[in-house]
Amino acid sequence: DIQMTQSPSSLSASVGDRVTITCQASQDISNLLNWYQQKPGKAPKLLIYDASNLETGVPSRFSGSGSGTDFTFTITSLQPEDIATYYCQQYDNFWTFGQGTKVEIK
Amino acid sequence: EVQLLDSGGGLVQPGGSLRLSCAASGFTFSNYAMSWVRQAPGKGLEWVSGVPDNDDRTFYADSVKGRFTISRDTSKNALYLQMNSLRAEDTAVYYCATNIGGRRFDHWGQGTLVTVSS
């Protein structure tokens, strides 16, 4: 099984800050990685697919990069509506999610 | 507009059964792979089961293999999850999701809560 490890598990940042979340796969998964946003009580929402492609309608302050085993998710300027938990997900071998990163406003 | 409506959750005793449903609309259901993803209270996301598009194969996480059965009825645009021999650790919100090309989960239902408790 492929394990996905996200860090940090939570973070607190100010509005306008740059926020970075990392995701590490237990083996090489090329670019077969997606990122999701989940707000409390809501279903997850796809933000980034294939490591770096922005889903239609998603603000450009969200971005993703990486390949192989190491991936990065970035919010260039944190907004109040970005408060949520973010998950990475691999699809190289079935589908596995990272444990999530909770983003809060400082 | 793609819509997925999850239903069928509830309270069930350990060892019991439950059948979840997902009503799909706004897209050609038979052309999409579909999956069930669950989230235990306060925990992360776990893929549970999936069916490819235009294919009879089914896939399961090891945690539910032999107890859960996924199926789809293209005449009703519906996805199902039959859950048997339920355990306390199956307590979660269950989401159905489109799984385009077997890669990303691009549309999600609102979720239905399953609670396994005596």
Side-chain angles (χ1 to χ4, degrees):
Chain A
D1 292 5
I2 299 176
Q3 309 302 318
M4 307 301 294
T5 304
Q6 278 182 243
S7 62
S9 56
S10 65
L11 66 89
S12 182
S14 299
V15 172
D17 281 355
R18 181 184 186 92
V19 169
T20 299
I21 298 168
T22 64
C23 181
Q24 186 170 60
S26 60
Q27 65 188 66
D28 189 332
I29 59 169
S30 184
N31 70 330
L32 307 184
L33 183 108
N34 306 313
W35 289 94
Y36 300 83
Q37 175 193 66
Q38 186 179 32
K39 296 184 177 180
K42 299 294 186 181
K45 175 187 176 182
L46 177 68
L47 298 181
I48 304 286
Y49 64 94
D50 298 346
S52 61
N53 294 292
L54 197 65
E55 176 74 340
T56 302
V58 173
S60 59
R61 64 180 179 275
F62 297 101
S63 65
S65 65
S67 67
T69 61
D70 296 306
F71 301 86
T72 301
F73 173 82
T74 301
I75 307 172
T76 53
S77 177
L78 186 67
Q79 299 301 304
E81 60 266 31
D82 300 337
I83 300 314
T85 300
Y86 293 84
Y87 295 91
C88 61
Q89 170 248 320
Q90 68 81 23
Y91 60 94
D92 180 62
N93 182 14
F94 290 97
W95 304 272
T96 314
F97 293 87
Q99 78 277 21
T101 296
K102 187 175 184 179
V103 175
E104 298 175 320
I105 295 286
K106 191 182 295 182
Chain B
E1 178 192 3
V2 172
Q3 290 194 336
L4 300 171
L5 185 61
D6 302 322
S7 63
L11 175 63
V12 61
Q13 292 187 341
S17 298
L18 213 53
R19 187 198 196 203
L20 305 184
S21 300
C22 171
S25 61
F27 63 104
T28 305
F29 183 66
S30 60
N31 289 350
Y32 275 70
M34 299 292 297
S35 278
W36 289 97
V37 177
R38 70 183 179 183
Q39 186 170 37
K43 302 297 183 181
L45 301 166
E46 179 190 17
W47 172 79
V48 172
S49 181
V51 287
D53 54 312
N54 295 306
D55 195 317
D56 290 335
R57 292 176 298 165
T58 56
F59 302 99
Y60 301 94
D62 287 343
S63 57
V64 306
K65 200 172 295 181
R67 300 187 298 122
F68 289 11
T69 302
I70 191 172
S71 61
R72 64 195 298 166
D73 185 336
T74 54
S75 68
K76 295 182 179 179
N77 283 355
L79 180 73
Y80 305 103
L81 186 67
Q82 177 67 42
M83 304 185 297
N84 298 332
S85 302
L86 282 162
R87 306 167 180 167
E89 55 265 34
D90 295 319
T91 294
V93 174
Y94 285 73
Y95 299 98
C96 75
T98 55
N99 185 207
I100 187 165
R103 302 186 296 273
R104 57 191 184 268
F105 303 107
D106 51 340
H107 294 96
W108 297 67
Q110 85 287 3
T112 186
L113 176 62
V114 173
T115 302
V116 183
S117 175
S118 55

